[in-house]
């Protein structure tokens, strides 16, 4: 699991993880008690697994950034909006700014992280990430779905979406715009509670790729161009797009990273649990109950 000039892009394929009882016993002992309680409320096994992997990705990210820190000493708290953040101990001397964000949808859980050593307190590099399956399965005709979702996008964005040829291409473009907006609002920490038409993306590259990162999409907010932002877009596979919103990109990010160094790295369970140490006692009964949860769909 690599960190490139202070930046991390990891993806976990949930479909590839056929979690055993032993897997769950270990994994659920390596998260904080309050997160364990939070996860227990998920009705479906799919959602439980995705959120659990997200928590473990966060822990592994901090461990990679701060290898001198004991795994079971890593502590997260949540801000007023519920977003997790790393809380170092008062005695930890960390001369760097750490920011990260996680997302999951359908097959993938992803993490984007930033570990910036040379930073200005008023100009810190921040990240937001979102992943989307490029599929519409709502039952209604796509045109009716677009009509109902009219307020989601600006006229400029709808023009781009509807100019694509065929329903699948239009669906791809819709999900791509949604992914970009989610990454942006997650970065600024407001979620999708704001008017999404106040955010206007202009896309210069028509199609995304799994082998190249697109970085030329730009955004305006309430008509004002938003400078000091970079948006990374790519595909994880033919069906899933991913977007990373980088605010105040550092010098290392802008000058020392090649175009495709930040393609998402696929992480399996063994690598996810590297150097993991339990924080709490193994709970076999809890893990058995989790394995008894229903699936929304087959992963």
């Amino acid at each position: 699991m690599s960190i490139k000039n202070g930046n991390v892009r990891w993806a976990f394929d949930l479909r590839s993880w056929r979690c055993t009882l032993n897997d769950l016993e270990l994994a659920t002992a390596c998260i904080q008690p309050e997160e364990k309680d939070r996860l227990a409320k998920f009705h479906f096994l799919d959602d439980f697994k995705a959120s659990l992997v997200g928590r473990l990705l966060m822990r592994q990210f901090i461990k990679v950034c701060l290898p001198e820190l004991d795994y079971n000493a890593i502590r997260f708290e949540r801000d007023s909006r519920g977003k997790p953040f790393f809380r170092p101990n008062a005695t930890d001397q960390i001369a760097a700014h750490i920011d990260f964000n996680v997302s999951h949808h359908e097959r993938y859980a992803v993490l984007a992280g930033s570990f910036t050593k040379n930073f200005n307190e008023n100009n810190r590099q921040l990240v937001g990430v979102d992943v989307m399956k490029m599929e519409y399965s709502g039952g209604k005709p796509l045109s009716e779905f677009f009509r109902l979702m009219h307020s989601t996008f600006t006229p400029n964005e709808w023009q781009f979406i509807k100019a694509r040829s065929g329903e699948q291409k239009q669906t791809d473009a819709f999900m791509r715009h949604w992914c970009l907006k989610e990454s942006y609002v997650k970065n600024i920490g407001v979620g999708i509670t704001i008017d999404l038409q106040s955010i206007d993306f202009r896309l210069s590259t028509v199609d995304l790729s799994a082998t190249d990162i697109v970085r030329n999409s730009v955004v305006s907010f309430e008509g004002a161009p938003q400078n000091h932002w970079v948006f990374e877009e790519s595909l994880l596979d033919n069906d899933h797009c991913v977007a990373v919103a980088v605010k105040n990109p550092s010098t290392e990010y802008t000058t020392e990273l090649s175009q495709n160094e930040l393609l998402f790295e696929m992480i399996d369970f063994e690598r996810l649990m590297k150097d993991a140490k339990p924080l709490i006692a193994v709970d076999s009964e809890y893990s058995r109950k989790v394995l008894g949860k229903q699936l929304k769909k087959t992963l």
Side-chain angles (χ1 to χ4, degrees):
M1 303 176 78
S2 58
I3 181 166
K4 299 176 181 178
N5 284 331
N7 294 275
V8 158
R9 305 289 183 268
W10 293 336
F12 186 97
D13 184 350
L14 297 162
R15 185 177 294 176
S16 70
W17 181 33
R18 303 298 181 185
C19 62
T20 65
L21 178 62
N22 286 340
D23 286 348
L24 273 182
E25 287 177 339
L26 173 60
T28 56
C30 292
I31 57 175
Q32 293 167 203
E34 65 272 21
E35 294 297 339
K36 179 184 168 186
D37 293 341
R38 184 188 297 266
L39 290 176
K41 297 176 182 178
F42 284 112
H43 181 71
F44 293 109
L45 179 59
D46 318 44
D47 295 328
F48 182 97
K49 286 173 60 177
S51 294
L52 173 62
V53 168
R55 305 284 81 74
L56 294 168
L57 285 168
M58 288 161 38
R59 300 192 67 81
Q60 194 58 248
F61 169 63
I62 299 301
K63 181 60 180 173
V64 169
C65 291
L66 303 171
E68 71 280 5
L69 193 65
D70 284 341
Y71 185 92
N72 52 8
I74 297 170
R75 175 80 189 174
F76 296 98
E77 296 184 8
R78 291 178 180 264
D79 64 18
S80 59
R81 297 185 177 94
K83 182 180 178 180
F85 66 93
F86 170 57
R87 171 71 76 183
N89 293 323
T91 56
D92 293 332
Q93 300 296 317
I94 301 173
H97 172 68
I98 298 174
D99 193 49
F100 59 87
N101 197 223
V102 296
S103 178
H104 56 82
H105 188 238
E106 293 289 340
R107 181 169 184 162
Y108 292 102
V110 298
L111 176 141
S114 171
F115 180 72
T116 313
K117 292 184 178 180
N118 301 314
F119 71 98
N120 182 324
E121 189 61 40
N122 297 316
N123 201 34
R124 298 169 297 166
Q125 180 170 300
L126 303 172
V127 293
V129 66
D130 195 58
V131 59
M132 289 294 298
K133 185 172 185 181
M134 298 180 297
E135 174 186 70
Y136 171 65
S137 55
K140 300 178 184 292
L142 187 64
S143 58
E144 175 64 7
F145 173 68
F146 282 175
R147 186 188 69 80
L148 294 172
M149 298 296 290
H150 177 75
S151 62
T152 305
F153 299 127
T154 66
N156 159 66
E157 292 169 333
W158 278 119
Q159 182 178 7
F160 182 97
I161 293 167
K162 293 181 178 180
R164 304 309 309 277
S165 177
E167 289 196 352
Q168 184 57 56
K169 289 288 188 181
Q170 290 186 5
T171 299
D172 292 351
F174 179 96
M175 297 305 175
R176 180 181 172 188
H177 277 83
W178 186 270
C179 202
L180 280 166
K181 292 205 179 192
E182 280 274 15
S183 71
Y184 177 75
V185 298
K186 289 176 71 178
N187 186 309
I188 61 178
V190 297
I192 55 173
T193 57
I194 64 173
D195 178 8
L196 292 180
Q197 283 198 334
S198 65
I199 306 165
D200 181 43
F201 277 93
R202 293 188 176 268
L203 281 52
S204 299
T205 301
V206 174
D207 293 310
L208 299 181
S209 164
T211 57
D212 293 289
I213 297 176
V214 168
R215 285 188 183 174
N216 54 15
S217 296
V218 296
V219 67
S220 296
F221 180 67
E222 295 182 341
Q226 298 300 288
N227 300 319
H228 312 299
W229 285 84
V230 175
F231 294 91
E232 306 165 15
E233 298 178 82
S234 60
L235 299 179
L236 296 179
D237 59 24
N238 290 334
D239 300 319
H240 295 79
C241 61
V242 63
V244 180
V246 182
K247 183 181 181 182
N248 301 324
S250 67
T251 301
E252 292 85 352
Y253 178 94
T254 55
T255 64
E256 298 181 19
L257 285 170
S258 66
Q259 180 71 13
N260 291 328
E261 278 191 273
L262 292 179
L263 285 168
F264 275 76
E265 178 183 359
M266 291 295 170
I267 305 300
D268 61 19
F269 184 72
E270 181 179 358
R271 297 173 75 194
L272 180 67
M273 302 306 296
K274 186 177 185 296
D275 298 323
K277 295 179 182 178
L279 286 68
I280 54 179
V282 167
D283 190 338
S284 298
E285 182 180 358
Y286 177 96
S287 299
R288 289 192 185 95
K289 286 181 179 179
V290 169
L291 288 177
K293 292 178 181 285
Q294 295 180 328
L295 287 169
K296 285 190 296 188
K297 58 178 65 177
T298 301
L299 286 175

